[in-house]
Amino acid sequence: MEIVAFILSPIIGAMGFVLDALHAALSSYGWSIVMLSVLVRLILLPLTNWARDIEEAEAARQRAMRPAIDEARRTLNGRERFERIDSIYVQHNYHPISSMRSAAAFGLQIPFLLAALYLLSGFEPLVNQPFLIVRDLSAPDGLLDIGSAKVNVLPILLTIIAFVESAIMQQSSSSRIRFTLISLTVLILIYSFPAAVSLYWLTNNAFSLVSQIMRQAFTRENQE
């Protein structure tokens, strides 16, 4: 993990500088983390929109191929089926490996999400810093008590937001499966991390959801 932190050190340093500047202006680490997440997303927005275009084009291509592929799988066997499906791929200028392009939007965010994780984990100024209903940004939120156990709500909430975004996006079935696996992996990864990390990722996911809703509304308006 140290090699990852070294590779990301320029991003971590830049984000730390901006976080300190925001805290100097806002006098709240909670709101500073929220604003840092929003600023990063705004900076990445042109690249994210480009990646979303790729993702939607990929989904449209797979939808266009689906009837012919289903027909080939239903009526053909063995090499004949393979050759027919391959010809469909060629006809639509598609290769199965190219489906990985649909993960481009998330891939662009990974360095910054990991940088936030490194920056905010063990960040000394966050100790005993409350934010809204969170008692301590340097510790897991533990907002929900179930018996003697404390449940961290923020990681669960950010995962729910990710699932909502996935449900309204134009994705292929393979992309949805991949997105679901990534979201669940993220939940497991950051569940026990400080609330500050979850707050950053939660803001990131909320921004992404709002952007996707606005994007679809804009697209429908232009089509009409």
Side-chain angles (χ1 to χ4, degrees), residues 40-207:
V40 170
R41 286 308 304 257
L42 286 173
I43 292 170
L44 292 177
L45 193 57
L47 287 175
T48 303
N49 284 340
W50 167 76
R52 291 293 191 205
D53 289 340
I54 293 176
E55 188 171 2
E56 290 174 4
E58 184 67 27
R61 185 180 289 112
Q62 291 195 29
R63 286 196 300 272
M65 294 188 300
R66 180 54 52 194
I69 290 176
D70 288 344
E71 176 69 16
R73 287 174 175 167
R74 187 171 58 253
T75 59
L76 303 174
N77 291 298
R79 184 171 183 81
E80 191 177 8
R81 176 197 286 180
F82 172 82
E83 291 177 348
R84 173 56 182 151
I85 291 177
D86 188 59
S87 70
I88 294 169
Y89 287 163
V90 171
Q91 180 183 349
H92 290 269
N93 193 28
Y94 172 84
H95 190 282
I97 294 178
S98 68
S99 65
M100 295 301 296
R101 294 182 301 179
S102 63
F106 182 76
L108 287 170
Q109 302 169 40
I110 287 178
F112 297 90
L113 293 173
L114 289 177
L117 187 151
Y118 281 109
L119 173 64
L120 300 173
S121 297
F123 190 55
E124 190 71 23
L126 295 179
V127 176
N128 295 323
Q129 288 288 328
F131 178 64
L132 300 179
I133 60 175
V134 177
R135 293 180 290 273
D136 184 357
L137 286 170
S138 69
D141 64 81
L143 290 174
L144 185 61
D145 292 319
I146 299 181
S148 59
K150 288 188 175 295
V151 176
N152 300 326
V153 174
L154 295 185
I156 296 172
L157 183 57
L158 71 88
T159 305
I160 291 173
I161 291 175
F163 284 152
V164 171
E165 182 181 4
S166 177
I168 67 173
M169 286 172 59
Q170 297 179 13
Q171 289 183 312
S172 64
S173 57
S174 60
S175 294
R176 282 191 196 282
I177 293 172
R178 185 163 56 247
F179 188 90
T180 299
L181 292 175
I182 291 173
S183 297
L184 292 176
T185 301
V186 168
L187 173 61
I188 295 170
L189 172 66
I190 70 169
Y191 181 79
S192 298
F193 272 79
V197 175
S198 295
L199 177 62
Y200 181 94
W201 287 42
L202 174 63
T203 305
N204 179 83
N205 284 9
F207 185 99

